[in-house]
């Protein structure tokens, strides 16, 4: 896919930053880094030892495959990376919350093609897509997990990332 580098480059840069910080902590290169390491270990401040980012999925708000809301889209927040350890607000570019539905877990449902999540009953798929597309009518659990507004349609990619939130 032509957008692979565009999407993964930012994630790779972040992984390199986290790895570099980890290595500077484990193998200090100067007196300042050594003093910092000793102070952290002596104080038992584990939050400074673990960056936390390797255990979190990357967010893709800047991906060419992600449609972010314009400011007038009913107050829908622009996606952004939350502080370490906090969950993101579901939005375009974020991994869809993994909630249980009557048809299975939401992320599992997304893995077989594009998934349209909506409370509308007039959304139909005409079969002219290059990948499978399914429609999931929202339940209260899915609506709450997404923070979905009435009439919105959420487009979820096969990798379970939200590609777009289409307002009513």
């Amino acid at each position: 896919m032509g957008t692979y580098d565009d999407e993964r480059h930012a994630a790779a840069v972040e992984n390199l930053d986290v790895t570099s910080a980890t290595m500077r902590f484990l193998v200090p290169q100067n007196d300042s880094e050594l003093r910092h390491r000793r102070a952290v270990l002596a104080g038992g401040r584990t939050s400074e030892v673990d960056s936390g980012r390797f255990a979190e999925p990357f967010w893709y708000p800047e991906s060419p495959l992600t449609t972010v809301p314009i400011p007038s889209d009913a107050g829908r927040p622009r996606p952004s990376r939350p502080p370490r350890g906090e969950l993101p607000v579901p939005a375009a570019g974020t991994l869809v919350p993994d909630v249980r539905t009557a048809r299975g877990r939401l992320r599992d449902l997304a893995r077989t093609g594009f998934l349209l999540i909506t409370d509308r009953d007039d959304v139909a798929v005409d079969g002219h897509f290059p990948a499978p597309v399914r429609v999931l009518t929202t339940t209260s659990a899915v609506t709450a997990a997404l923070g979905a507004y009435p009439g919105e349609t959420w487009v979820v990619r096969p990798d379970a990332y939200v590609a777009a939130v289409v307002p009513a």
Side-chain angles (χ1 to χ4, degrees), residues 93-163:
T94 65
L95 190 61
V96 73
D98 196 21
V99 297
R100 188 172 302 283
T101 73
R103 292 169 45 190
R105 302 215 50 97
L106 194 53
R107 289 184 190 161
D108 291 338
L109 295 174
R111 303 278 185 212
T112 59
F114 286 90
L115 182 64
L116 306 179
I117 304 170
T118 187
D119 64 355
R120 297 172 50 182
D121 57 10
D122 63 342
V123 174
V125 179
D126 65 10
H128 296 291
F129 293 95
V133 179
R134 297 186 319 174
V135 178
L136 175 68
T137 304
T138 58
T139 63
S140 58
V142 173
T143 299
L146 294 175
Y149 299 149
E152 282 184 333
T153 298
W154 289 61
V155 181
V156 182
R157 301 175 357 181
D159 60 1
Y161 278 84
V162 179

Side-chain angles (χ1 to χ4, degrees), residues 56-80:
E56 296 177 356
F58 193 76
W59 286 272
Y60 296 102
E62 305 302 324
S63 167
L65 298 180
T66 301
T67 302
V68 296
I70 56 176
S72 62
D73 279 356
R76 172 79 40 213
R78 184 167 176 81
S80 63

Side-chain angles (χ1 to χ4, degrees), residues 28 30-40 45:
N30 57 48
D31 288 339
S32 174
E33 290 175 358
L34 180 59
R35 281 192 303 276
H36 173 72
R37 180 177 188 268
R38 286 180 177 158
V40 168
R45 299 184 310 235

